[in-house]
Amino acid sequence: MLGEIRGLNEECGVFGIWGHPDSAHISYYGLHALQHRGQEGAGIVVTDGDALRAVKGEGLVNDVFNEEKLKSAKGNAAIAHVRYTTAGGGGIENVQPLLFRSSTGSMAIAHNGNLVNANHLKQHLERSGNIFNSTSDTEVVVHLIKKSKKPGLRAQVKEALSLLKGAFSILLITKDCMMIARDRNGLRPISIGKLGDAWVVASETCAFDLIGAEYVRDVEPGELLVITNNGMEEDRFAEKEKRAMCAMEYVYFARPDSNVDEINIHMARKRMGKRLAQECKGIEADVVTGVPDSSISAAIGFAEEAGIPYELGLIKHKYTGRTFIQPTQELRERGVKMKLSPVVQVVKGKRVVMVDDSIVRGTTSRRIVTMLKEAGATEVHVVISSPPMKNPCFYGIDISSSEELIASSKKVEEIRDAIGADSLTFLSDEGLVDSISRPFDDENGGLCMACFTGNYPTEIYPDTVLPHEKELVK
């Protein structure tokens, strides 16, 4: 990711392991593989079969953990989390996994996604006397579990999960078991695998590859898996509803080497690029380049289909860290150049096709187009491997208002003029769905396309929506 200049960030990533004597170190490597899903906080909660211990902090995985901390977290099971702040805001109290202790036993929880009825549930719980320690919507889940009168933890968890609306992949751990749940629409990815005799679970399969685990399957929408020392039991907390995996996982968020619902991300993005080339025939150009890293696969596909050479025309600087908003326009532009640079010898005197995955506010696209032209590109044709983003997301992407989206108020030609491109082409809705090629019969291949189409797969609660957005979700 390019941090501040990209404009999109995902909620977080989760990892878990049960049945391995070095669970803390394995979780550390799992979080490394998922670092792209969240860079503002990381945590691991380990159990030794007797007690739960948390190690967490703000910052990158390498900033939070060291060998001393990992050695102190002894246990044969753990859940872990990397966080990007959207719902609930920042602060150490919101860094997950959240650990809770009570007279009936301790539990920890980690969550990827966003609950659209979190405020509604929280208000109900507060009226009943519950007090919250964080502003994270994840804490609501634990209060619902503890409030349940059902006999046994599994029944209590199932009742709590059945009350949740929105997007969630949840890991819960006690000294006796680990539970995995995925929302009934399957909005967020989560998979299970095996590392020897140990069970592992992760938001993306790239984490399995790093630790040497074998992929077993994806968790089904509405499913609850319970893992103990006796193995894994399959259960459900709700029936599967309209399947709606977030399309932006394929377009932008997931790593190219991951498989999401058994679809490889790199290959899906290459197909998006090929389809783009088919949909925008007539562009005459000398070179194709992609905005690193998430657009490289689509750029390769575009170049192959169009018969135009692909080159590394833009280079991402890997060690600059996050750049905070600067007080002047000149310093903002310099912040972009710290993270991205043109290869002058590639673009000078050339007609360039610049492939990117999305346009959010338009500011980043404008800066990159300007950068390419300053480097000597004679023309810059921008092609986007997703449709125009016109609608806010309520499921864990940090675009909660259409005011943040240039396509919500401008037509394609107006956006082209705003970013300074010689031409601008977006992938069609149909092109995106066909490119991802999911094997499901649900609408749009079981994809959530709400940020493009405005068709939300779940009910959106009024207190989730900014006042001026209510017309969008009636």
Side-chain angles (χ1 to χ4, degrees):
M1 283 189 183
L2 296 175
E4 292 295 331
I5 75 166
R6 293 299 288 128
L8 282 178
N9 285 285
E10 221 272 341
E11 176 76 358
C12 51
V14 296
F15 180 87
I17 184 166
W18 185 276
H20 196 288
D22 203 9
S23 61
H25 282 86
I26 298 294
S27 297
Y28 167 79
Y29 287 114
L31 291 185
H32 252 295
L34 301 174
Q35 183 74 89
H36 60 288
R37 298 187 72 89
Q39 297 90 46
E40 296 190 1
I44 299 173
V45 171
V46 175
T47 179
D48 58 5
D50 184 43
L52 271 61
R53 173 183 171 84
V55 180
K56 62 181 183 176
E58 295 182 274
L60 299 173
V61 172
N62 269 344
D63 298 329
V64 174
F65 305 106
N66 56 37
E67 187 63 22
E68 181 181 354
K69 290 180 180 178
L70 292 172
K71 281 185 175 179
S72 69
K74 298 183 184 300
N76 69 338
I79 62 172
H81 188 273
V82 287
R83 174 175 173 80
Y84 176 82
T85 304
T86 58
I92 187 64
E93 70 276 7
N94 288 318
V95 175
Q96 299 183 33
L98 301 180
L99 174 58
F100 300 87
R101 306 186 190 279
S102 72
S103 59
T104 57
S106 301
M107 71 173 65
I109 188 169
H111 167 213
N112 171 30
N114 199 53
L115 306 178
V116 297
N117 64 336
N119 290 336
H120 175 81
L121 293 170
K122 188 173 183 179
Q123 290 166 11
H124 171 75
L125 289 164
E126 287 177 339
R127 286 194 294 268
S128 300
N130 292 79
I131 297 174
F132 289 79
N133 295 315
S134 73
T135 55
S136 169
D137 58 346
T138 310
E139 188 176 354
V140 170
V141 183
V142 175
H143 284 280
L144 291 173
I145 293 170
K146 300 303 291 185
K147 194 175 181 64
S148 173
K149 304 299 183 184
K150 296 285 185 179
L153 179 62
R154 184 191 300 198
Q156 293 165 4
V157 170
K158 288 172 67 174
E159 182 177 57
L161 294 173
S162 70
L163 299 174
L164 306 181
K165 305 291 184 182
F168 59 87
S169 291
I170 286 177
L171 297 186
L172 185 146
I173 196 169
T174 70
K175 65 183 181 65
D176 301 314
C177 71
M178 179 170 68
M179 298 187 186
I180 306 112
R182 187 180 185 186
D183 70 78
R184 65 196 76 197
N185 299 101
L187 278 152
R188 290 282 160 238
I190 191 164
S191 303
I192 56 173
K194 291 296 292 287
L195 179 61
D197 293 330
W199 288 97
V200 291
V201 56
S203 292
E204 292 185 36
T205 60
C206 62
F208 298 161
D209 298 332
L210 181 61
I211 64 172
E214 180 182 357
Y215 166 83
V216 174
R217 68 176 179 88
D218 293 298
V219 180
E220 285 292 308
E223 189 172 31
L224 175 67
L225 302 177
V226 182
I227 299 175
T228 67
N229 290 336
N230 296 322
M232 184 177 74
E233 295 183 27
E234 300 175 353
D235 203 345
R236 299 196 68 83
F237 66 88
E239 290 305 310
K240 179 177 63 177
E241 294 186 0
K242 176 182 176 183
R243 190 185 284 265
M245 163 60 69
C246 172
M248 287 302 293
E249 290 284 354
Y250 295 95
V251 171
Y252 176 61
F253 293 122
R255 264 180 40 169
D257 52 336
S258 286
N259 298 328
V260 172
D261 279 349
E262 301 188 354
I263 302 295
N264 178 256
I265 298 299
H266 168 68
M267 297 307 296
R269 289 176 184 166
K270 275 194 70 175
R271 290 192 293 269
M272 293 173 205
K274 288 178 178 290
R275 181 64 176 259
L276 252 179
Q278 295 167 6
E279 292 185 358
C280 64
K281 287 187 180 297
I283 292 179
E284 295 184 1
D286 305 303
V287 66
V288 175
T289 193
V291 179
D293 288 322
S294 55
S295 305
I296 299 300
S297 300
I300 293 170
F302 186 99
E304 288 182 1
E305 183 69 19
I308 303 171
Y310 167 79
E311 291 281 359
L312 285 175
L314 293 163
I315 302 296
K316 186 172 77 168
H317 299 206
K318 297 185 180 297
Y319 304 107
T320 55
R322 290 181 63 83
T323 304
F324 294 97
I325 295 175
Q326 301 294 334
T328 68
Q329 183 65 26
E330 180 183 354
L331 291 177
R332 289 191 191 99
E333 299 293 341
R334 189 165 296 174
V336 175
K337 291 179 180 178
M338 283 175 60
K339 296 193 173 185
L340 202 64
S341 295
V343 181
V344 175
Q345 291 83 352
V346 169
V347 303
K348 187 175 182 180
K350 303 288 181 62
R351 298 167 297 177
V352 178
V353 174
M354 184 191 97
V355 182
D356 205 354
D357 50 67
S358 57
I359 293 181
V360 184
R361 298 165 184 86
T363 52
T364 298
S365 297
R366 185 184 70 247
R367 292 168 188 169
I368 299 174
V369 169
T370 300
M371 192 185 300
L372 288 169
K373 291 193 172 183
E374 287 177 348
T378 58
E379 298 176 9
V380 178
H381 301 273
V382 176
V383 297
I384 305 297
S385 59
S386 64
M389 298 185 72
K390 300 178 181 179
N391 306 283
C393 175
F394 305 106
Y395 303 121
I397 302 174
D398 63 339
I399 45 170
S400 59
S401 169
S402 61
E403 291 179 351
E404 301 175 67
L405 303 169
I406 190 171
S408 69
S409 59
K410 294 183 184 295
K411 297 179 180 179
V412 172
E413 184 60 21
E414 293 174 317
I415 300 172
R416 182 207 62 75
D417 184 62
I419 67 175
D422 291 276
S423 71
L424 172 62
T425 305
F426 289 91
L427 185 62
S428 65
D429 294 350
E430 298 80 8
L432 179 60
V433 173
D434 291 346
S435 299
I436 295 173
S437 301
R438 282 164 59 88
F440 304 114
D441 294 330
D442 307 57
E443 181 183 356
N444 293 324
L447 290 169
C448 175
M449 300 277 286
C451 57
F452 309 122
T453 65
N455 297 323
Y456 295 91
T458 74
E459 178 184 3
I460 303 297
Y461 281 63
D463 57 0
T464 307
V465 185
L466 296 176
H468 61 282
E469 302 285 0
K470 293 188 185 298
E471 290 296 323
L472 293 173
V473 295
K474 281 187 176 179

